Amino acid sequence: MEDIHIFAFTHRQLEVNQIGLLHIALDDQKQKLTGLKDEFQIDEIMYVSTCNRVEFIIRKDKDIHLTEFKKYLQYLFPHFNAEQIKLFTQHVEQYKGIESVEHMIKVTSSIDSMVVGEREIITQIRKSFDACRSYGITGDAIRLMIRHTIETAKRIYTETSIAQSPVSVVSLAYHTLRLKDIPLDARILIIGAGVTNTNMSRFLRKHGFTNFAVFNRTKSKAEVLATQLKGEAYALNELPLYKKGFDIIITCTGADTSIIDKALYTHLLQGDTDPKVVIDLAIPSDLDPEVAKQFPMDNISIEYLQKVSSKNLEKRAREIIHVEEIVDEAVEQFKLMAHERKVEIAMRSVPQTVKEIKATAFEYVFAKEIESLDENSKETVEKILAYFEKKYMSVPMKMAKEILLKK
């Protein structure tokens, strides 16, 4: 596992909006990541992007120095200027070998998250792996690490209290909104019908909010969410035409830049001068920062939620000790698993070699002798060799594996 490298950009080193610049749209991931893999002769790669982190998990049989990773960034983000490249190369966290495994376990079990105990991360890691596997850019090493990581995270959530009363970004946003004593008939615009907004909307519907308008780039997805909310559905390009006003905007799209500028926000207000609530859960932000400065509003941003979530760290500190004990145990288990896998790969050619020896014996070395046998005798010889082959595969292979593992 020494050839596994992780380059991580997290909320510890960067602002959330800065991390958002490293987001690769889902539709572009296959082309960009496959191109990166081919261009730099990378063996395996996995890309993770969440609301507060972006990580590149790379397997390459050579060391990857920061100067080389800088080239990866320049390839993936050719529009970055020199200052942006410098920012990210100076604030990247690097892990290698078994440290990469420990890091991924801590990430997936949420103790490395902005919100400790946030179960959502395990789903995000699984989906990131499944996507990269579908692109054909992962392999055995990353698969083994992610499988063990997810199994350990599930154990942590089961055996500890770290996820009790979870406070995810969505639930933090909802609880922050509820503190504002918003009337249940408030006009709510949902911009984006992805997982984050769907979860947020369900909170609102469950607790009695009734007035929803859902906008999404693909209108059919907006219709699905709007049906659940008993609201109205629109395509995203209909937003500049919407004239019914609003009290709350909840936005989370996959756009690369802000989509709510001064002109659009002014139009949506329809002349209303009362302060509004904008919950912007997108990375990068959907709301132009200038809009938040120029209009009276309660702007609930990812940055704000990050500050709120830090208060939860103290409450869950005691559980982190228990979690780290499980993490240490899981890391040791993985060392053994990785060694076993290495032995299995090294011995993978043995069964095929035995089959080839058997075929050579039949077809060349003892061809004449076997040809002179009657059918019953040939069948008996076949059975004897098959039995020998089976036993040779199991007993000596097992003994050899045990010897190598001890070494």
Side-chain angles (χ1 to χ4, degrees):
M1 297 302 295
E2 285 304 308
D3 52 357
I4 292 286
H5 308 263
I6 292 180
F7 295 86
F9 302 91
T10 75
H11 58 280
R12 287 189 299 274
Q13 304 289 343
L14 295 161
E15 296 293 329
V16 175
N17 276 338
Q18 292 172 327
I19 296 172
L21 297 174
L22 296 166
H23 172 73
I24 302 174
L26 192 61
D27 292 343
D28 298 331
Q29 285 184 17
K30 182 176 182 179
Q31 179 183 358
K32 287 193 172 185
L33 295 173
T34 301
L36 178 72
K37 181 177 183 291
D38 295 340
E39 177 72 16
F40 295 95
Q41 298 180 322
I42 294 171
D43 298 307
E44 301 179 43
I45 186 169
M46 176 177 161
Y47 171 76
V48 177
S49 178
T50 74
C51 64
N52 54 53
R53 72 173 60 247
V54 165
E55 305 214 4
F56 295 90
I57 305 165
I58 297 169
R59 185 177 78 82
K60 191 173 184 180
D61 59 5
K62 296 179 181 178
D63 283 339
I64 304 175
H65 300 292
L66 201 55
T67 51
E68 181 174 354
F69 184 71
K70 177 181 177 180
K71 295 178 183 177
Y72 297 178
L73 291 178
Q74 291 170 327
Y75 177 89
L76 291 171
F77 309 100
H79 57 283
F80 280 2
N81 58 39
E83 285 301 313
Q84 288 173 312
I85 292 293
K86 181 179 179 182
L87 170 72
F88 291 120
T89 51
Q90 285 182 342
H91 294 89
V92 63
E93 300 173 16
Q94 299 180 64
Y95 304 90
K96 181 184 177 184
I98 199 64
E99 289 183 353
S100 297
V101 179
E102 182 178 358
H103 168 72
M104 281 308 301
I105 292 174
K106 288 181 175 179
V107 169
T108 311
S109 61
S110 84
I111 63 172
D112 194 60
S113 294
M114 184 173 75
V115 182
V116 173
E118 182 182 2
R119 281 179 177 269
E120 187 180 357
I121 185 64
I122 192 171
T123 301
Q124 293 169 328
I125 295 296
R126 183 188 291 112
K127 286 185 176 180
S128 296
F129 172 73
D130 288 343
C132 292
R133 181 177 59 181
S134 72
Y135 306 152
I137 58 176
T138 64
D140 192 63
I142 290 180
R143 178 193 63 79
L144 190 68
M145 181 176 70
I146 296 301
R147 185 184 68 183
H148 185 64
T149 290
I150 290 175
E151 288 174 352
T152 303
K154 288 179 178 179
R155 179 188 168 194
I156 286 169
Y157 293 135
T158 300
E159 296 182 12
T160 76
S161 301
I162 196 166
Q164 285 186 359
S165 301
V167 190
S168 66
V169 169
V170 170
S171 61
L172 274 173
Y174 172 73
H175 287 296
T176 303
L177 178 64
R178 289 291 285 161
L179 291 174
K180 300 183 182 300
D181 197 25
I182 305 293
L184 295 179
D185 62 349
R187 298 164 297 173
I188 303 175
L189 303 188
I190 307 292
I191 304 175
V195 174
T196 300
N197 269 1
T198 297
N199 290 338
M200 183 69 182
S201 300
R202 287 172 181 166
F203 268 118
L204 295 169
R205 180 66 183 171
K206 179 181 177 181
H207 290 88
F209 288 90
T210 58
N211 193 343
F212 298 94
V214 182
F215 295 81
N216 193 66
R217 194 175 306 279
T218 305
K219 188 175 180 180
S220 59
K221 292 184 178 179
E223 290 170 345
V224 171
L225 181 54
T227 299
Q228 296 172 4
L229 299 173
K230 297 182 180 179
E232 300 174 335
Y234 302 88
L236 188 59
N237 58 15
E238 296 179 78
L239 194 58
L241 306 175
Y242 189 76
K243 297 181 178 181
K244 296 183 180 181
F246 74 95
D247 299 300
I248 302 169
I249 288 177
I250 300 172
T251 183
C252 185
T253 72
D256 295 331
T257 58
S258 302
I259 63 171
I260 305 175
D261 57 16
K262 180 180 178 180
L264 177 57
Y265 192 80
T266 301
H267 167 78
L268 292 173
L269 285 172
Q270 290 291 296
D272 192 346
T273 58
D274 291 339
K276 304 300 179 182
V277 177
V278 178
I279 302 176
D280 187 353
L281 302 177
I283 298 294
S285 298
D286 283 339
L287 182 70
D288 187 327
E290 291 302 313
V291 176
K293 294 177 182 178
Q294 295 180 28
F295 293 86
M297 68 171 67
D298 286 329
N299 181 22
I300 303 173
S301 64
I302 287 288
E303 287 84 354
Y304 171 78
L305 296 174
Q306 183 176 359
K307 294 175 183 177
V308 175
S309 68
S310 63
K311 297 177 182 178
N312 296 313
L313 294 175
E314 295 179 6
K315 298 178 182 178
R316 300 185 178 185
R318 287 175 295 178
E319 282 304 302
I320 290 178
I321 296 173
H322 187 190
V323 170
E324 288 182 337
E325 290 174 354
I326 297 176
V327 171
D328 291 342
E329 182 182 332
V331 169
E332 293 304 313
Q333 290 173 345
F334 188 82
K335 288 179 182 178
L336 180 59
M337 287 172 53
H339 189 36
E340 287 180 348
R341 185 60 180 157
K342 190 174 181 179
V343 170
E344 288 171 359
I345 292 172
M347 299 183 68
R348 195 157 49 187
S349 62
V350 174
Q352 183 59 35
T353 302
V354 172
K355 290 181 184 296
E356 291 172 358
I357 292 172
K358 175 185 171 183
T360 300
F362 263 88
E363 296 171 14
Y364 300 104
V365 180
F366 301 105
K368 292 182 179 179
E369 290 86 344
I370 291 174
E371 187 62 30
S372 66
L373 299 175
D374 57 48
E375 291 302 317
N376 288 335
S377 298
K378 287 181 181 180
E379 184 178 346
T380 301
V381 172
E382 277 277 11
K383 289 180 179 179
I384 292 171
L385 287 177
Y387 177 82
F388 172 79
E389 180 182 350
K390 180 179 178 181
K391 290 299 181 183
Y392 185 83
M393 298 296 189
S394 59
V395 179
M397 282 279 284
K398 183 178 179 182
M399 292 172 62
K401 185 176 178 180
E402 289 175 351
I403 292 169
L404 287 172
L405 286 174
K406 287 178 181 178
K407 287 184 179 180

